[in-house]
Amino acid sequence: MMVDDPIQMEGPCRARQPAREHAPHGARYAGAMRVLHFNDCAFVAATLVAEARRRDLPWRHMTPERVRPRVQPAGGLGRLRYLPYLARRISAVAESDVVHVHYGTSAPLLRQRGVPRRPYVLSLHGTDIRTQWHDPAYHGQLRRAIDEAAAVLYTNLDTAQETLLARPDANHLPQAVSPRGLPPWRPRGLETGTPRIVFGPRWSADKGVQEQLELADALRRALPRAELIGLDWGEGAPEAARTGVRLVPTGPHRQYLELLASADVVIGQADVILSVSDFEAMLIGAPLAALGQRLPSADGTQPPTLRGSLEEVVAQIAEALIEPAATAERLGSRPWVRAHHDPARLITMLEPIYQHSMRT
């Protein structure tokens, strides 16, 4: 059965140079596990595979646009357009020892006729276990995908309880975020005298749009000289514009990173977790402000952000704009993200999981 489902992407998911789908095989790969990362969310798979390739591991990545068409083909001749996707899937899985599936509703694609059977590790990325798990239209396929996986991982801490109820032996694998290729931080306020505050998330409910709109309004009133910028993306974008946020069109991922790098302060999503794009802003060097509190990581620490109530966050942002670099240094954002989301460390966590999967 062909499945056309939404692929949840955290943050502004735009084109990034993907890892090559097929890694060269040769003597240097002798005896190493051949791992296929199947699909992607928020470039997590691409980041892991790129780091693995730097370590001479034979990992490959089948990117979302090569996994399946965005629109499910209709019957008849329309179905012929699906055949290249199936052929690629058969070939890539056949050349792999383990498949790491990203997003729960992608797993049924491995059961289609002709696809070789391989053990698979399943990463649940958010909407699949947070929302679709409770939807009768998806629950059955997700139940089977979780049950048949050799191992289950979850990337977001807010889904821990739900995931562990569905699969008690599931483990947390933080999102992989690499500092490689990020632009240098050049806060616009230092160049123009007009501080720039960039709202990183899209203006949608899953990013805390109502809280973000309240924050934008409060910042406009408290800091009338500051430039507020956000993406023209999400159902709340028109209201953000009316609040005084200058909206910019979405574009390539590199363009989005350059926008983050121009900010004196970046606003992260108003949620108990942060997104990959929030962590990218922190790695670039910008202070990150986010309403409320975040769930603690395994070592008990929260991401180092400007946080708290609306009034507290506005006051902290106002202070940060005086000396953004000093604020960033005090927060220690870069070392925290590297310690918790470094792809090299995550590969070390994944290798024994893959080895165990091959024995089950």
Side-chain angles (χ1 to χ4, degrees), residues 7 23 41 47 55 74 85 92 100 116 121 135 153 160 175 211 215-216 230 238 258 290 294 305 313 320:
I7 301 173
C41 294
T47 300
R55 298 174 64 174
Y85 295 90
H100 188 149
V121 172
D135 184 341
L153 308 169
Q175 295 150 315
E211 293 86 351
L215 178 57
E258 294 286 355
R294 261 33 69 195
T305 65
V313 169

Side-chain angles (χ1 to χ4, degrees), residues 107-260:
L109 299 174
L110 299 180
R111 294 195 297 269
Q112 290 185 332
R113 183 178 302 172
V115 179
R117 293 293 180 261
R118 296 290 187 272
Y120 70 87
V121 172
L122 175 63
S123 276
L124 300 172
H125 281 269
T127 296
D128 44 10
I129 189 65
R130 192 184 293 125
T131 302
Q132 292 178 306
W133 174 253
H134 301 284
D135 184 341
Y138 292 98
H139 181 81
Q141 63 174 282
L142 285 169
R143 175 76 274 173
R144 183 175 177 183
I146 291 170
D147 287 347
E148 293 183 353
V152 173
L153 308 169
Y154 57 96
T155 61
N156 293 306
L157 288 168
D158 68 315
T159 65
Q161 182 176 4
E162 202 71 58
T163 303
L164 290 170
L165 285 173
R167 182 71 181 245
D169 63 345
N171 290 290
H172 178 232
L173 184 79
Q175 295 150 315
V177 189
S178 174
R180 295 178 184 272
L182 295 178
W185 183 36
R186 298 190 183 95
R188 184 58 60 88
L190 295 179
E191 301 175 8
T192 66
T194 300
R196 172 176 286 185
I197 302 172
V198 172
F199 284 78
R202 62 183 178 269
W203 304 93
S204 58
D206 59 327
K207 302 297 182 181
V209 63
Q210 290 305 316
E211 293 86 351
Q212 298 290 61
L213 291 171
E214 291 174 10
L215 178 57
D217 183 60
L219 288 170
R220 170 57 62 213
R221 288 184 281 106
L223 302 166
R225 291 184 59 254
E227 178 187 28
L228 305 183
I229 298 182
L231 294 173
D232 189 4
W233 187 13
E235 68 272 13
E239 181 61 29
R242 287 190 290 270
T243 302
V245 179
R246 179 165 70 87
L247 299 181
V248 297
T250 58
H253 187 250
R254 181 70 189 183
Q255 179 180 312
Y256 173 72
L257 293 176
E258 294 286 355
L259 177 65
L260 296 181

Side-chain angles (χ1 to χ4, degrees), residues 208-360:
V209 63
Q210 290 305 316
E211 293 86 351
Q212 298 290 61
L213 291 171
E214 291 174 10
L215 178 57
D217 183 60
L219 288 170
R220 170 57 62 213
R221 288 184 281 106
L223 302 166
R225 291 184 59 254
E227 178 187 28
L228 305 183
I229 298 182
L231 294 173
D232 189 4
W233 187 13
E235 68 272 13
E239 181 61 29
R242 287 190 290 270
T243 302
V245 179
R246 179 165 70 87
L247 299 181
V248 297
T250 58
H253 187 250
R254 181 70 189 183
Q255 179 180 312
Y256 173 72
L257 293 176
E258 294 286 355
L259 177 65
L260 296 181
S262 73
D264 294 76
V265 172
V266 174
I267 308 298
Q269 64 183 35
D271 199 357
V272 296
I273 58 172
L274 294 179
S275 70
V276 166
S277 58
D278 296 332
F279 294 132
E280 287 175 327
M282 295 165 74
L283 279 176
I284 287 171
L288 188 85
L291 290 169
Q293 304 289 327
R294 261 33 69 195
L295 292 172
S297 61
D299 63 2
T301 62
Q302 281 198 26
T305 65
L306 306 175
R307 59 180 183 264
S309 67
L310 179 65
E311 294 76 15
E312 290 169 335
V313 169
V314 170
Q316 291 174 74
I317 291 174
E319 183 178 355
L321 291 179
I322 300 171
E323 291 188 88
T327 301
E329 182 69 22
R330 173 177 60 81
L331 288 171
S333 302
R334 278 175 169 156
W336 190 93
V337 176
R338 286 173 176 155
H340 292 82
H341 296 273
D342 176 54
R345 185 178 72 88
L346 301 181
I347 286 174
T348 301
M349 295 172 61
L350 281 169
E351 286 186 299
I353 293 174
Y354 295 154
Q355 291 166 354
H356 177 75
S357 299
M358 291 178 61
R359 296 194 296 267
T360 59

Side-chain angles (χ1 to χ4, degrees), residues 83-103:
L83 292 179
Y85 295 90
L86 180 59
R88 279 194 295 268
R89 196 176 308 142
I90 291 171
S91 174
V93 173
E95 296 175 9
S96 306
D97 300 310
V98 178
V99 180
H100 188 149
V101 179
H102 294 267
Y103 204 82

